[in-house]
Amino acid sequence: MAPAAMSIAAQSLSGAKPVSYWLDDPAKPAALPALTGDEHADLLVIGGGYSGLWTALIAKERDPGRDVVLIEGHEVGWAASGRNGGFCAASLTHGLANGVERWPDEIAKLEELGERNLDAIEAAVARYGIDCEFERTGEIDVATEPHQLEELREWHEEIVKLGITGVDFLDRDALRAEVDSPTFLGGLWDRNGVAMLHPAKLAWGLKRACQELGVRIYESTRGLDLVRSGEGMAVRTPYGRIFARRVALGTNIFPSLVKRVRPYTVPVYDYALMTEPLTPEQLESIGWKGRQGLGDSANQFHYFRLSADNRILWGGYDAIYPYGGRLSADLDQRPETFLKLAEQFFDCFPQLSGVKFSHAWGGAIDTCSRFTAFFGTAHQGRVAYAAGYTGLGVGSTRFGADVMLDLLAGEETERTRLDMVRSKPMPFPPEPFAWAGIEITKRSLAHADANGGHRNLWLKTMDKLGLGFDS
């Protein structure tokens, strides 16, 4: 990094608050009390992120008389659900390409279910009056290198052959007419398959909707262990116990109460910056009248978007795996990553030189080796789980909630018949092999970005095995 660029980047971060912009909001609801004593329910949902909230809400929608309890170890929406970029995608497979590669015979059905799922989210936001700044503006995958542009052009041809509509190829001039950056060479605009929203307000709105339907929510209440109890299950918490006929686990990156599930996910720390609100002149200098979400096409990619008050969220690039899968609040802040992100931001938008960042934060994502969620049951069908969303859980967690409820009901549905639902990813190996493998993969991906997209023998082998590392 040149000294002048470092100085500009460092100065832009001087006043950044070390907290998620989304969670730093006066709309944040008051915390609810912890559970004390014994509690009973038909369904216990563990986890107060999107996965758990959608499960509790849909359970009450399916059967208003069902007695549902949700517990959260901290506060609803405080983890990944309140720290992400607010991209709500229809894709259930971490993008169409990943879905075509893994489930070519099911991709038409997976795309249909994904579209219906996003429509259902939009409908729920309207039905429950959730003010989460929902904007169905779509997303543009951006090429910043010639090889990326060629790959996007070829992929667009494949999309057309698959009969998928609503995805347009943009050349350099067409893209820069939408959003102006000297680094942009072209892109693919998925016009309907992605919405932008305020992620924390979505979580808080779902919390309110659950309560209005009669879900009892306890915060600061961790599930400590899970054991059989008669015809159901019992979960011990710090100050009490919960007895339930069925249990849905929406704990995602946090250690699963079904221990055999734990090797299937590892935590990846992802980081983001938020600018101060742009002035009308600054916004005019970059265009962006369509307010689409954007992401570049590198292996080490950035995602970026406008907030309702015209700030730019700029995140991604570094994906940090802590040795041993350690989860720590200390890892939420990484100044060297924030400095790198700030420099890259001004490379992308030099016309915004002088803009300051108001917030800088990080958090853990639950990633799995196939990049997309997996599902299962335990304790003879009394417990269901979903995990491994790998950064695209804002939308697909609602689908995962439906799957968990189907599994707990013992129902065969169009969801539970899917090979994606019936199969598992490859588990990660124990340490030190997990850390070594992830580090080799990360370095290989960085090398590919710097060398025209050329994938070395390690990456080609991983591709053949259907394995990878992403955030």
Side-chain angles (χ1 to χ4, degrees):
M1 184 186 298
M6 180 180 291
S7 176
I8 292 171
Q11 289 173 15
S12 72
L13 293 163
S14 61
K17 297 171 69 173
V19 63
S20 165
Y21 166 78
W22 309 118
L23 294 172
D24 186 27
D25 193 299
K28 181 180 178 181
L32 297 173
L35 171 69
T36 58
D38 288 353
E39 176 67 281
H40 296 78
D42 295 326
L43 173 67
L44 170 63
V45 179
I46 302 179
Y50 299 139
S51 188
L53 291 165
W54 281 118
T55 302
L57 186 71
I58 295 171
K60 292 294 284 185
E61 290 178 336
R62 290 188 181 189
D63 180 2
R66 185 181 306 182
D67 190 26
V68 180
V69 167
L70 182 149
I71 62 173
E72 160 57 40
H74 191 62
E75 292 183 25
V76 162
W78 79 279
S81 297
R83 306 184 191 208
N84 61 79
F87 288 64
C88 186
S91 177
L92 304 175
T93 59
H94 206 273
L96 178 60
N98 190 50
V100 169
E101 177 67 26
R102 297 181 186 279
W103 300 289
D105 295 336
E106 290 184 346
I107 193 62
K109 172 57 69 173
L110 288 165
E111 287 292 294
E112 176 199 340
L113 288 170
E115 291 171 9
R116 283 160 47 189
N117 184 65
L118 182 55
D119 289 343
I121 292 172
E122 186 172 13
V125 165
R127 183 166 64 253
Y128 294 107
I130 298 175
D131 181 17
C132 63
E133 300 163 10
F134 190 97
E135 299 179 276
R136 200 154 176 177
T137 55
E139 180 180 7
I140 303 175
D141 290 332
V142 175
T144 58
E145 297 289 343
H147 74 273
Q148 296 171 10
L149 182 63
E150 187 57 32
E151 289 168 358
L152 289 181
R153 195 188 304 274
E154 292 174 358
W155 178 234
H156 183 250
E157 293 173 358
E158 290 298 315
I159 290 172
V160 171
K161 290 177 183 177
L162 289 168
I164 293 172
T165 60
V167 180
D168 297 331
F169 180 81
L170 305 178
D171 63 18
R172 175 184 177 277
D173 291 342
L175 175 56
R176 292 187 63 173
E178 294 293 332
V179 187
D180 191 16
S181 165
T183 67
F184 291 176
L185 303 180
L188 283 185
W189 184 1
D190 179 353
R191 292 180 178 270
N192 303 309
V194 184
M196 300 294 108
L197 53 76
H198 187 303
K201 287 184 177 179
L202 175 62
W204 300 334
L206 291 173
K207 174 183 177 180
R208 174 182 54 78
C210 284
Q211 290 178 296
E212 290 174 352
L213 294 185
V215 177
R216 300 191 301 288
I217 299 176
Y218 298 96
E219 295 181 319
S220 300
T221 302
R222 288 182 58 209
L224 301 177
D225 57 41
L226 175 69
V227 297
R228 290 279 296 275
S229 177
E231 294 300 310
M233 304 298 300
V235 172
R236 184 171 57 89
T237 70
Y239 307 124
R241 297 175 300 173
I242 307 171
F243 300 90
R245 293 181 58 252
R246 297 290 184 266
V247 177
L249 299 177
T251 50
N252 295 315
I253 193 51
F254 298 98
S256 177
L257 293 180
V258 177
K259 292 184 179 179
R260 70 171 184 266
V261 176
R262 295 179 184 179
Y264 289 100
T265 62
V266 295
V268 178
Y269 276 80
D270 183 50
Y271 298 92
L273 304 174
M274 184 69 94
T275 71
E276 61 192 2
L278 301 187
T279 66
E281 293 75 21
Q282 289 169 331
L283 190 58
E284 180 66 25
S285 74
I286 58 173
W288 217 339
K289 294 181 177 65
R291 301 183 58 79
Q292 309 94 330
L294 287 94
D296 62 50
S297 302
N299 293 305
Q300 290 183 290
F301 62 92
H302 303 91
Y303 54 89
F304 40 118
R305 54 153 301 185
L306 288 170
S307 67
D309 59 351
N310 291 329
R311 301 169 185 261
I312 297 178
L313 180 143
W314 177 264
Y317 192 79
D318 273 346
I320 305 300
Y321 169 69
Y323 184 87
R326 179 173 64 96
L327 292 169
S328 171
D330 293 340
L331 298 172
D332 292 348
Q333 292 292 305
R334 198 166 191 268
E336 60 268 41
T337 292
F338 297 144
L339 190 63
K340 186 184 300 179
L341 283 173
E343 185 200 29
Q344 293 165 339
F345 174 85
F346 292 115
D347 285 343
C348 182
F349 294 121
Q351 60 269 54
L352 297 181
S353 180
V355 165
K356 302 287 188 182
F357 292 101
S358 63
H359 296 75
W361 71 93
I365 293 168
D366 60 323
T367 193
C368 70
S369 61
R370 73 183 192 187
F371 313 142
T372 190
F374 61 92
F375 312 89
T377 61
H379 296 281
Q380 296 181 312
R382 293 173 174 86
V383 177
Y385 58 83
Y389 289 97
T390 317
L392 258 70
V394 178
S396 56
T397 44
R398 188 195 173 282
F399 172 81
D402 265 327
V403 171
M404 284 196 285
L405 292 170
D406 290 349
L407 293 172
L408 289 174
E411 297 176 351
E412 182 177 309
T413 68
E414 60 183 345
R415 291 176 289 266
T416 60
R417 286 191 292 269
L418 292 168
D419 184 54
M420 186 190 82
V421 170
R422 296 163 63 90
S423 64
K424 295 282 193 302
M426 182 78 74
F428 290 93
E431 298 292 10
F433 304 107
W435 186 87
I438 289 171
E439 284 300 304
I440 293 171
T441 302
K442 286 172 58 180
R443 292 176 187 179
S444 298
L445 291 171
H447 184 268
D449 283 340
N451 289 273
H454 175 72
R455 299 176 76 80
N456 62 18
L457 181 60
W458 175 268
L459 292 180
K460 290 178 180 177
T461 302
M462 297 284 279
D463 292 342
K464 288 181 179 179
L465 295 174
L467 303 176
F469 175 77
D470 202 357
S471 67

